[in-house]
Amino acid sequence: MTPQTPEVVHLKNCLICHNKDLLIFLKLGPTPAPNAFLAAEQINAAEKYYPLDVCFCPECGMVQLAHIVNAEVMFKDYVYIPSTSKTTDDHFSGLAQYAIQKAPLGATDLVVDVGSNDGFLLKKFLKSGIKVLGIDPAENLAKIATAEGIETINTYFTQASAEKIAREKGKAKVILGTNVFAHVPDPHDFLEGAKTLLANDGLLIVEFPYLVDLMDKVEFDTIYQEHLSYFGLSPIAKLVQQHNMGLVDATRFPVHGGSLRVTISRKPAPIGAGAQALLDMESSRGFLKPETYQLFSQKVEKIRHDLTHLLWELKSQGKRIVGYGAPAKGNVMLNYCRIGSETLDYIVDSISYKQGKYTPGTHIPIYPESKLQEDRPDYALLLAWNFADEIIKKQDGFKKAGGQFILSVPEVKIL
Ligand code: DWN
């Protein structure tokens, strides 16, 4: 990022149809960048806060942020590594098998992963004897992946970088993008980049948190500056058609609170039956109407009210409460509900990088999970609610000793 590059840009047009009349239906900010964890020596220094306003486009049904925070702020030295849970591992194994069968993929084919992180997903293709190539803007992660045998190009994926990669590495039979498509500032450029890099019979397979799940389960804390777009399938269908590609498949999965896997062919093709069914559902359930989003923001406000009142009530009874998991979404929840160390004594998390640090904005200390057994607090607020089953199973001892978990979405309740 150069001194001339603005840190925050107001996004005045729909990222899909370029409509200017966007409706802001929810304001969650300002908040710090969600993965901007602090070292002890930083907690008294000034922190940067960024807007977090969410818009709906009545023209195409797109949901997006009203501001873009410069990618360098969030992705240059990135701490999120997906290989931290069995849930994610199992899901990626299923994705690899799907891609191998759907493409189909053989030993001479190239699979490219955009936003390849530490190479976790590509290792599953390498094991099947398939050629792989990672693309990731985070220097730290690109080095880790390359050192572990997953060649990774340290760059952002754009049409320009795709042209260079196609020249140097050849065409890809499959391009993957898990939890990256919703992050890119220009989905049109992303699709043109995929068309450039894909072989003529190639497939682009993207996965992202699904808007319908976000709305149905009030997962408002998954809205943060890293994610510019909150995709339903309807705007993606318009995008695919504009780029003369084919929307061949769309399938829902439970990971990350509910995700959608969309398969797009480089060549035009009829809309797949699974995709058409979801498009019909989105229309019939009102996801293309503004009132649906006004109702959602009322549900979010209710969660903030119910959670803060429950925690205050428990604290007034002398109970000790901690947080479980320090995900990006947890920082949105804490900052939006103004929950700090006056309420949560600390947070436990399995990622070593986060341990010993403090949450951005709320300055709650983060410890290894073992502290829960050592300290025996009364309640643990599940900030990483998308891993609730895995966590509760792992912490059977905490529950047997009388500890209780608190869930915040889709409604506030003590488990
Ligand atoms: O799009 C993104 C989503 C998919 O993942 C990325 N841009 C950022 C990231 O969001 P996140 O930080 O909310 O990811 P997770 O994987 O939902 O975070 C889970 C957190 O919980 C991690 O910090 C690890 C922690 N955890 C734990 O302490 N014990 C997780 C498990 C499974 C556990 O048992």
Side-chain angles (χ1 to χ4, degrees):
M1 190 165 80
T2 63
Q4 294 73 31
T5 318
E7 247 190 319
V8 181
V9 174
H10 183 194
L11 203 50
K12 295 178 181 146
N13 300 50
C14 171
L15 288 172
I16 301 296
C17 72
H18 308 305
N19 166 36
K20 292 186 188 310
D21 300 324
L22 298 175
L23 307 173
I24 292 182
F25 63 88
L26 184 62
K27 287 177 167 283
L28 294 172
T31 73
N35 277 310
F37 294 95
L38 303 171
E41 60 271 16
Q42 294 174 300
I43 58 175
N44 294 319
E47 278 182 272
K48 290 189 176 180
Y49 277 64
Y50 301 97
L52 193 51
D53 300 345
V54 201
C55 310
F56 169 70
C57 173
E59 287 298 314
C60 72
M62 177 65 167
V63 174
Q64 65 185 52
L65 296 188
H67 301 85
I68 290 186
V69 177
N70 191 293
E72 295 292 280
V73 169
M74 293 178 291
F75 299 120
K76 210 63 196 158
D77 185 29
Y78 197 52
V79 299
Y80 176 71
I81 294 181
S83 46
T84 54
S85 78
K86 187 176 179 318
T87 307
T88 308
D89 187 358
D90 293 345
H91 178 74
F92 277 159
S93 297
L95 170 55
Q97 284 315 309
Y98 169 82
I100 289 169
Q101 287 157 7
K102 187 77 177 176
L105 288 170
T108 58
D109 292 319
L110 175 66
V111 174
V112 173
D113 186 13
V114 176
S116 50
N117 203 277
D118 64 349
F120 184 72
L121 173 56
L122 287 176
K123 283 175 184 165
K124 296 181 181 296
F125 290 90
L126 199 60
K127 272 197 303 199
S128 301
I130 294 162
K131 291 189 297 179
V132 299
L133 177 68
I135 299 174
D136 201 288
E139 289 161 12
N140 58 321
L141 294 174
K143 283 187 187 130
I144 292 170
T146 302
E148 292 183 4
I150 302 292
E151 183 187 359
T152 299
I153 300 174
N154 177 212
T155 186
Y156 290 96
F157 184 71
T158 61
Q159 187 176 0
S161 63
E163 281 168 356
K164 184 170 184 293
I165 294 165
R167 277 197 309 276
E168 294 171 358
K169 304 293 181 183
K171 298 284 189 172
K173 184 71 175 290
V174 165
I175 297 176
L176 302 164
T178 56
N179 295 305
V180 64
F181 193 48
H183 299 48
V184 298
D186 186 346
H188 290 274
D189 184 65
F190 190 98
L191 244 56
E192 283 305 311
K195 280 184 86 169
T196 300
L197 185 51
L198 275 175
N200 199 37
D201 61 348
L203 296 177
L204 167 65
I205 304 173
V206 291
E207 283 190 0
F208 45 80
Y210 185 29
L211 177 66
V212 171
D213 289 296
L214 189 160
M215 301 289 285
D216 282 350
K217 291 181 267 185
V218 202
E219 296 169 346
F220 71 92
D221 52 348
T222 61
I223 297 173
Y224 42 84
Q225 291 88 350
E226 284 183 25
H227 301 162
L228 286 175
S229 305
Y230 297 84
F231 283 120
L233 191 57
S234 304
I236 288 186
K238 292 181 179 62
L239 183 72
V240 169
Q241 190 182 26
Q242 284 174 25
H243 291 269
N244 201 25
M245 298 173 81
L247 180 57
V248 297
D249 202 0
T251 312
R252 299 176 74 165
F253 290 89
V255 287
H256 291 299
S259 295
L260 191 64
R261 174 183 300 161
V262 178
T263 303
I264 299 167
S265 59
R266 189 187 184 289
K267 292 185 291 194
I271 293 179
Q276 189 56 59
L278 289 176
L279 293 171
D280 297 343
M281 176 271 291
E282 288 179 5
S283 173
S284 64
R285 287 198 52 205
F287 288 105
L288 304 180
K289 294 177 183 167
E291 49 270 29
T292 304
Y293 299 88
Q294 263 104 31
L295 178 62
F296 175 77
S297 56
Q298 292 165 17
K299 292 177 182 176
V300 173
E301 193 43 47
K302 183 175 183 328
I303 285 178
R304 173 159 68 174
H305 170 275
D306 293 352
L307 180 60
T308 47
H309 281 72
L310 171 63
L311 297 178
W312 291 337
E313 177 61 30
L314 295 173
K315 292 297 281 183
S316 68
Q317 295 165 13
K319 302 297 184 185
R320 289 194 304 120
I321 314 168
V322 301
Y324 203 115
K329 61 175 97 44
N331 293 320
V332 172
M333 179 69 73
L334 294 172
N335 277 286
Y336 177 65
C337 296
R338 303 278 190 282
I339 297 169
S341 50
E342 81 296 328
T343 307
L344 302 185
D345 296 350
Y346 53 84
I347 289 171
V348 294
D349 191 285
S350 62
I351 292 187
S352 54
Y353 174 96
K354 297 180 183 178
Q355 294 159 7
K357 286 195 167 53
Y358 294 76
T359 50
T362 50
H363 303 175
I364 300 171
I366 303 168
Y367 290 94
E369 291 172 294
S370 55
K371 186 161 176 78
L372 203 72
Q373 287 85 347
E374 293 152 12
D375 184 50
R376 292 266 182 250
D378 300 299
Y379 292 90
L381 173 60
L382 274 167
L383 295 168
W385 45 258
N386 51 318
F387 294 121
D389 295 345
E390 192 169 334
I391 289 168
I392 292 170
K393 193 173 168 196
K394 172 171 23 177
Q395 294 298 345
D396 193 42
F398 170 68
K399 288 205 65 156
K400 282 186 177 147
Q404 291 182 276
F405 285 99
I406 298 171
L407 206 54
S408 53
V409 297
E411 60 182 357
V412 176
K413 64 180 177 182
I414 297 174
L415 297 180

